[in-house]
Each structure stands twice: as structure tokens, then as C-alpha cells.
Amino acid sequence: MIQGDKKQRKAREQKASDLLLEIGCEEIPAGYIQPALDAVRQHFVDFAGSSRISHGELRTWATPRRLTLFVSSVAEHQESTTEEYKGPPSVKARNPDGSYNEAAKKFAHSKGVDLSSLVEKETDKGSYIFAVKHCAGSKTAELLPGFLTSLPSVIPFPKRMRWGDGSLLFARPVRWLLFLFGGKVIRVKIDGMVSGAYSYGHRFLASKKIKIISPENYLTALEQHYVIADHNKRKEMIHNALKKSANGEVVIPPDLLDEVNFLIEFPFVASGSFPEEYLRIPPEIIRLCIEKNQRFFSVKSPDTGKFISSFLVVMNMPLEDSREVIAAYEKVLVARLKDAMFFYEEDIQIPLHQRVEQLKRVVFQKVLGTLYDKTLRLISLSETIAKALKVSEMELAALRRAASLCKADLTTSLVFEFPEAQGTAGRYYAEYHGEDAAAAAAIEEHYQPRTADDKIPASLSGAVLSISDKLDTIVGYFSAGIIPTGSEDPFSLRRQALGIIKILEGKNFAAPLHDLVRNAIENYPQELIPRERAGEILSAVISFFNTRFRIYMMESHGISYDVVDAIDLEHRRAVRDTLQLASDLMSLCQDTDFQEILIVFDRVSNILYKSATRDDFRSERADPALFQQEEERELHRLAQDMKEEWNKGEKSYLKYITALYRLTPAAHKFFDNVLVMIDDPAVRSNRLALLREVRDVYLQIADFSKIVKKAM
């Protein structure tokens, strides 16, 4: 009977069906959709895990009007559980004839099981009675409504809304719910809506109800009604259609493609044009007008690589009167291009150097002064950093000029209308009025990297000016008490800190972060950063940078958390040197000899830690005259050799770490044959001083106690 129950339970738990959920609504903003899909996926993973429901592959799809979850092979029942409860000792649970007594019966009753479910098991305290309780899993269909009702609250929409008399909060009004498990509907009522088996086609081309027979039929059924629900397929269709429709080389920025993809349900591509006279505008501004403002795709000549007077637009439906629609698009685009040309031609009438005075009327930050004040600080700070890096006089001259002009384009009409053009507009205006090419390039580059994926400045002047600008901002905001907290970082200080780290790495600048931050603090006038606050601000900013640097090492370079923790980021190393040290440690972590280094370091550290409460550190350095055993002398000699090797010229971390291997056998001999905590206080203090010197040899590289030991 019991065996039969087990077989039935196992067969029941192995049955599985596909799950489909579609939330249909009004058009969701494109930027909301991918985070929403990620949240839907994670919520089901969490739900299935906590509910003991096995499942196969998860897929999420979306259009502007629907968020969809498809999960294959979802078990139709929860996994069963078996629970054991410890009862009385066996000798107290049985009658003389071996049958269960009253104590055993009361125990079984308290646990809700029959006497047949009691078993005897040996424990470290002898034989005991255990109640074994099998709990059959519930039907998955009975649990799924809880998944849907809890889902809206976990989707991280930046803004939510209510509509009508309902209480549901969502990005846009929800219009229908499709919820199928296998071929059956999971009925859930939310805010007056009841889930069913129906979806809807394209709003304009096939807006009628569509009955979805099964989850497997979903994509095909919608495609027959002009909805490509799988956004990955839709994105590929858009990409191919753009390539096919272009009369040149279409420019397809990934972020624009993603945005357009989430604006449509069934893609159709059409082309338009604009007068060639607008090609006189800087190409970056043309792209802003076409891509940023209108979400069109620009086209280049495959021969010259320059923009041509053509663009492509992705529409949500084919139009019989598409020429009239495209004409309307062209009219809007030309208006933007006309504005841009007007601003550009007006701006170039005034050279950048004549605009610098206008920065006195532009506030940088109410406590930190105007952009003119910031410009003066940039001239001074960039020169200080450049001299520390020993740049040439020619580069220094270009840097000074770029620093004095880099913020001047913020007073132009073009940048006021197109803020994304800051820096780029400055470069064009500088070149137009004959400024040095290196200075003009640095004006544009000093904003780089603008995003986490952006390139770093190509020129040395641009790199130094970018570091100076970002450092001045970070230090200034910290001094004004404007510090990122949690997820709040309205002035993008984290991004700017990461940009500095990437530049220091990419350019292999030798200047340590600590020195650069100190230079930036000292560059501020005392009325803004009093000298008595300098240490406090330095400590706070360095801690801020170290947090960014740790994350950067782990996420961008794959350094494990324990190696990152082991490296002293307060050490005044160059960024590239720190990354090289981390990489060398990572490459050796699996080595057997390296694991021995960790063991030796731990033994040394443990002895010093245990003796810290005693007056055992009277000796600053070990005195060879007090050594009594050869093991002491050998360990001391090797430690001194290592110190001298470290102090010689250029350091190779990999070479130095592997050189530590020489200390391992000597250290083991010392531990095996020398008693450190001897009664003689002078000898004891001297041996502890020796161990402290040995520990310092290791600490020149890292705190090896933080590195996780590997099983060998």
C-alpha cells in the first residue's frame, strides 16, 4: 500500500505542462520594459523555488502593449516532502512484548501519523522512536494565482499609476490578463479583471480578441494578427529591414534599436530625406536631430563614410499613404535641422575665448561658485597633474588652452538646445577659429567617458583635463555635503569616479589616486575647503573611490572578492599597478605553493595576534645577536633578502610573490623547531619581532589572510 502510494506520488510529480502569462495594457514606455521583464522572470524563479515547483526553460517577451512570461515543463504538483520528528527513547516506547506502548501512541497522535509511520533510529544518545510524515505536494494550478497577484508590486516601474476606480498600481492601465497552464485557464481576479484565454492582436491591423488554445500556440497566433510578441525576433526583423532598405550604410546604435524595438509590435521600415544644405551642420548634431530627437536612423555613404541626406524610420504598421506620413516626418526633422543650423551659424560668430567671461553668469553649484570659478580651478589643477606626469611643454600648452576654453560652449545656443553636444560643439567652434588641434580635441574629450561603455580620451591633454574636471566636481560636491547615498546619485559622481579609474588604467598614469585627490582638495580656495577639513574630505573621497575601484575590479576584470579584499587600496599604487597585482594573485591562487604561503601567513599572524595582549613587542626589530637557533637566523636572512629585493628599482609583483615561496620551508622549520613564547622575555620579544618582520614582507603585497584557501 505504501509502496503503491509512492509510485503514484512520483508519477504525479513528474507530470508537467507549459505556463503562459500575458499582461496586456496600454503602451508602456520603452525604457520600462526590459527591467520589467527581468523582474517577472526573477519573481517566477523565486516563487517556484519557495513553492517547490520544478520547471524548465523560462522565456520573457514584450511589446509596448504586453509583458509575457512563458515557462516550459512546469510540474503539475509541488514536490512532496518528508519530515521526521524525534520521539521518546525506544525502551520507553515499547511494551515488554515489543508492541508500541501508550507513550508511543501519544507521540504518533501528536504528530498526526499512524503507528505504522513510526521507525527506530540510532542516534549518538542511543535508539529513539521517530515519526516519519509524508506531505504530498499541492496542485501547481492552486498555487499559481498567488504568483500573479503578487507580481505587479515587484515590477520596478519608475512611475506607477491608478486608473478608473481601481486600486492596482501599474505603469499603464492593464486591459486584459491571459493566464494558461497547459490548455487550462488559471482564473485570477485582479482589480475587477478576470484572467482568461484571450489576447488581442495589433491595435490597428487586427484588434479583435484572439483565443489562445495553448501556450505553445501563443507566438504563432499573435503573429497571424500582426504582433511579433518575441522582441528578440522583432529586433532581428528591424535590423535586417534597416539594412535592406538603406540606400547607403545605415547607422544602427544598439540603444536606439532597443528603444525602437519596444515602441512597435510589427515593424515596417520606410525611408525619407532632407535637403543637402543641412549636411553643413556638424555630423554629431545631425545624428542628434535624426536619432535622439526623432528616433530615426541616419545613413552614411559607403564610399566617403559621411552622412547623406537620407534617413530610415521604423513604423508600427504598413501605410497605403506612407508617402504622406513620411512627408510629415521629413517636415518635423527639417524643422529641427533648421534650428540646429541657425544656432550653429550664430554661435560661430563669437570665438570661444570671448565667451569665457559669460561663464561668470553661469552657476556651477551654489556653494562652489560659477563655471568661471571652475574654469580657473581646472587650469590650475590640470597643470599640477600634468607636471606630476611630466608631460611635454607642447602638451602642457595645449592643456592650458583647452582648460581655459572647455566650458565656454555651455554659453552657446546650440548646446542650450542640444545639451548632449557639449564638448563636441566646443571642438568645432575652436577649430573654426583656428585654435590648436590638440586643444580643440581636448575640449571635446574632457567629458569622456560619458557613460560606463564610452571610450576614454584619446589624447594626453584630453585625459588629464577629464580627470581634473571630474575630480574637481567630486571633491567639491563632497565638501558641500552632496554625497551619493544608496541608489541616489543625482549628479553622477559614481560614474565620474569610474571614468577617472578607467582613464588612469587606460593611459597607465603613474599618479596614485590618493595624490590626485589631495591635489584637487588643495586646489580649492580655503574659503570653500578650509585646511582643517582637508583630511576629512580626503578620507571620504578616497573611501568613495575605493568602493568604485573594488566593484570595477570584480565586474570588469573578474577579480574574486577575496583577492580584492586582500589588496590594500589605501596603498599609493597607480591604478594599473593595483590591477596587475590583483591579476597576478588571481593567476597563482590555485597553485599548491601559493596555498602554502597562505598557511605560513596565517600561522605568523595567529601567533602575533595571541601575543598582542602581552607586553611582548618591546623590540622594534629583531636583533640577530639574540638568535639562539639556526632556524631563526635562516628565516631572518631570507626576510631581509626579500626586503632588499622589494626596494630595488622596478617591482614585478609576480616575481616577488613567487619569491615568497623561498620563505615557506624556512618558516615551517622555524615553527617546528623554535618555541616563540619562551619564558625569557628578551628572546621572546626578539622572536616576535622577527615574526613581525616576516609578516611585513608579506603585507608589502597583500593581506594574505583575506584570500580564501582552496582545497588541494
Side-chain angles (χ1 to χ4, degrees):
M1 179 99 179
I2 294 176
Q3 186 66 25
D5 288 344
K6 287 183 178 178
K7 288 182 179 179
Q8 290 175 14
R9 185 168 61 249
K10 187 174 182 181
R12 186 177 66 236
E13 290 173 354
Q14 287 176 343
K15 289 183 180 179
S17 298
D18 293 339
L19 172 73
L20 177 68
L21 168 66
E22 180 189 72
I23 302 176
C25 49
E26 300 295 337
E27 279 77 359
I28 302 173
Y32 288 20
I33 294 178
Q34 189 57 57
L37 292 181
D38 294 340
V40 170
R41 168 186 287 271
Q42 188 59 51
H43 189 54
F44 186 83
V45 170
D46 295 342
F47 162 79
S50 63
S51 302
R52 308 188 313 278
I53 299 173
S54 64
H55 60 85
E57 183 184 7
L58 281 85
R59 286 181 249 171
T60 53
W61 304 309
T63 76
R65 299 178 65 215
R66 67 200 78 223
L67 300 174
T68 305
L69 170 69
F70 176 90
V71 189
S72 65
S73 303
V74 179
E76 293 186 0
H77 285 79
Q78 287 180 298
E79 294 176 4
S80 298
T81 60
T82 300
E83 299 173 347
E84 291 186 351
Y85 303 94
K86 186 179 178 183
S90 298
V91 295
K92 294 183 178 180
R94 291 192 182 275
N95 295 314
D97 62 358
S99 61
Y100 287 120
N101 61 19
E102 195 62 29
K105 293 177 181 178
K106 288 181 178 179
F107 169 64
H109 179 73
S110 69
K111 300 305 177 186
V113 300
D114 297 328
L115 285 176
S116 60
S117 298
L118 299 183
V119 297
E120 288 187 46
K121 288 191 176 185
E122 288 293 331
T123 71
D124 55 355
K125 295 182 179 180
S127 178
Y128 277 76
I129 296 295
F130 283 81
V132 180
K133 190 173 183 179
H134 298 289
C135 301
S138 300
K139 291 182 179 180
T140 299
E142 296 173 354
L143 303 173
L144 285 173
F147 163 70
L148 179 53
T149 54
S150 60
L151 179 59
S153 63
V154 302
I155 300 179
F157 293 125
K159 292 183 180 179
R160 298 168 180 268
M161 62 182 294
R162 289 189 181 93
W163 55 96
D165 298 326
S167 59
L168 178 64
L169 286 168
F170 212 70
R172 291 294 184 268
V174 176
R175 298 307 187 198
W176 74 87
L177 296 169
L178 165 66
F179 204 6
L180 295 179
F181 185 38
K184 297 181 179 179
V185 173
I186 302 297
R187 297 290 180 189
V188 183
K189 187 174 182 179
I190 299 179
D191 215 33
M193 288 175 294
V194 179
S195 57
Y198 292 92
S199 181
Y200 286 81
H202 194 284
R203 183 186 290 277
F204 304 110
L205 301 176
S207 60
K208 64 181 181 180
K209 265 187 177 184
I210 310 167
K211 185 171 184 178
I212 306 299
I213 300 172
S214 68
E216 296 84 353
N217 178 250
Y218 173 74
L219 293 178
T220 303
L222 286 186
E223 188 164 347
Q224 291 171 351
H225 291 79
Y226 297 96
V227 174
I228 306 298
D230 182 350
H231 59 278
N232 300 299
K233 178 180 179 179
R234 196 168 64 246
K235 181 177 177 179
E236 185 178 357
M237 290 174 64
I238 295 171
H239 189 277
N240 293 339
L242 287 169
K243 290 282 189 182
K244 185 177 179 180
S245 302
N247 59 342
E249 182 181 328
V250 62
V251 180
I252 308 178
D255 54 346
L256 178 60
L257 180 59
D258 288 338
E259 182 180 11
V260 169
N261 187 29
F262 284 132
L263 291 173
I264 61 173
E265 293 197 314
F266 202 92
F268 297 91
V269 174
S271 63
S273 62
F274 56 89
E276 290 190 2
E277 63 181 288
Y278 295 111
L279 293 176
R280 299 202 310 268
I281 306 171
E284 292 86 351
I285 308 304
I286 294 176
R287 283 194 66 177
L288 281 175
C289 292
I290 294 176
E291 297 172 9
K292 186 76 175 179
N293 294 135
Q294 304 303 320
R295 299 189 183 95
F296 301 159
F297 292 84
S298 50
V299 183
K300 290 183 176 181
S301 165
D303 299 323
T304 65
K306 295 182 179 180
F307 286 113
I308 61 176
S309 57
S310 178
F311 67 89
L312 296 175
V313 56
V314 182
M315 299 185 292
N316 196 31
M317 57 188 294
L319 299 173
E320 304 223 350
D321 54 349
S322 60
R323 187 59 254 169
E324 295 178 21
V325 175
I326 293 300
Y329 285 149
E330 290 172 342
K331 185 176 181 180
V332 174
L333 176 59
V334 167
R336 294 297 291 166
L337 291 169
K338 188 175 182 180
D339 287 344
M341 176 172 279
F342 173 79
F343 294 139
Y344 175 71
E345 292 180 344
E346 284 290 307
D347 289 340
I348 60 177
Q349 304 303 315
I350 304 175
L352 283 181
H353 68 269
Q354 293 183 16
R355 294 180 175 275
V356 175
E357 281 289 315
Q358 297 179 34
L359 295 174
K360 293 180 178 179
R361 301 195 297 271
V362 183
V363 175
F364 166 54
Q365 201 279 330
K366 62 181 180 180
V367 176
L368 304 176
T370 65
L371 282 175
Y372 184 83
D373 299 324
K374 183 177 177 69
T375 297
L376 296 181
R377 292 196 301 271
L378 289 183
I379 295 171
S380 173
L381 180 58
S382 58
E383 184 171 348
T384 299
I385 294 174
K387 287 180 177 178
L389 296 173
K390 299 178 180 171
V391 305
S392 67
E393 282 299 321
M394 182 180 297
E395 289 169 328
L396 187 58
L399 178 59
R400 288 194 190 104
R401 188 61 175 171
S404 67
L405 300 177
C406 66
K407 299 300 180 184
D409 68 347
L410 296 177
T411 66
T412 64
S413 299
L414 186 64
V415 173
F416 182 82
E417 186 69 17
F418 301 94
E420 301 89 347
Q422 59 185 355
T424 300
R427 172 172 67 86
Y428 278 100
Y429 296 151
E431 290 173 345
Y432 182 87
H433 288 284
E435 295 288 349
D436 178 71
I443 290 172
E444 179 177 42
E445 292 175 337
H446 92 279
Y447 286 106
Q448 297 171 350
R450 296 173 187 261
T451 65
D453 300 324
D454 193 16
K455 60 187 178 182
I456 65 172
S459 71
L460 181 61
S461 300
V464 173
L465 187 53
S466 178
I467 291 173
S468 303
D469 182 35
K470 293 171 175 59
L471 267 180
D472 178 83
T473 297
I474 293 170
V475 165
Y477 275 76
F478 266 69
S479 71
I482 304 171
I483 303 172
T485 57
S487 60
E488 296 295 320
D489 186 15
F491 300 100
S492 301
L493 300 187
R494 293 189 182 100
R495 176 181 56 77
Q496 295 187 62
L498 179 60
I500 292 171
I501 291 168
K502 292 177 71 172
I503 294 171
L504 292 174
E505 177 196 7
K507 293 297 183 182
N508 197 18
F509 286 161
L513 258 172
H514 184 283
D515 295 350
L516 296 175
V517 174
R518 179 173 47 77
N519 290 337
I521 292 172
E522 293 173 351
N523 192 60
Y524 265 88
Q526 290 209 33
E527 58 266 25
L528 292 180
I529 301 184
R531 291 298 164 253
E532 59 268 20
R533 290 193 62 209
E536 162 208 337
I537 295 170
L538 176 63
S539 177
V541 174
I542 289 297
S543 176
F544 173 70
F545 267 102
N546 287 345
T547 300
R548 295 293 98 206
F549 196 14
R550 285 188 178 92
I551 295 172
Y552 179 65
M553 284 195 284
M554 289 188 285
E555 293 185 351
S556 298
H557 289 270
I559 308 299
S560 62
Y561 75 92
D562 56 328
V563 170
V564 172
D565 290 344
I567 296 173
D568 180 13
L569 297 184
E570 298 291 337
H571 192 290
R572 297 185 185 182
R573 294 188 187 94
V575 164
R576 180 73 73 86
D577 286 346
T578 301
L579 288 168
Q580 185 61 56
L581 170 57
S583 176
D584 290 344
L585 285 171
M586 283 288 291
S587 69
L588 294 171
C589 274
Q590 299 295 335
D591 186 68
T592 303
D593 291 335
F594 183 83
Q595 296 299 310
E596 286 295 318
I597 286 179
L598 304 185
I599 293 171
V600 169
F601 185 82
D602 279 353
R603 294 187 71 177
V604 170
S605 299
N606 288 338
I607 292 172
L608 294 175
Y609 176 77
K610 291 176 181 177
S611 64
T613 56
R614 302 176 50 170
D615 186 20
D616 286 324
F617 287 106
R618 287 174 292 177
S619 301
E620 290 295 325
R621 305 185 63 169
D623 182 359
L626 293 176
F627 292 153
Q628 296 181 342
Q629 298 178 224
E630 181 57 32
E631 290 84 356
E632 295 176 90
R633 298 184 185 91
E634 181 183 5
L635 187 60
H636 182 259
R637 178 181 58 78
L638 287 172
Q640 295 305 307
D641 289 346
M642 293 292 295
K643 284 184 180 178
E644 290 178 12
E645 188 171 331
W646 178 255
N647 292 326
K648 285 180 185 175
E650 185 179 351
K651 300 175 179 63
S652 166
Y653 294 117
L654 189 61
K655 182 179 178 182
Y656 188 79
I657 297 169
T658 52
L660 288 174
Y661 293 167
R662 298 199 304 265
L663 278 176
T664 300
H668 282 311
K669 286 181 183 178
F670 177 88
F671 292 131
D672 292 342
N673 300 300
V674 177
L675 179 61
V676 176
M677 305 308 289
I678 196 170
D679 291 336
D680 186 328
V683 175
R684 181 176 68 245
S685 178
N686 196 59
R687 288 175 178 173
L688 289 169
L690 170 60
L691 292 182
R692 188 165 56 181
E693 289 186 31
V694 171
R695 183 183 62 180
D696 289 345
V697 168
Y698 287 86
L699 288 176
Q700 288 179 130
I701 290 293
D703 182 351
F704 289 90
S705 67
K706 300 287 181 63
I707 299 178
V708 176
K709 297 180 182 63
K710 306 292 191 298
M712 304 304 292

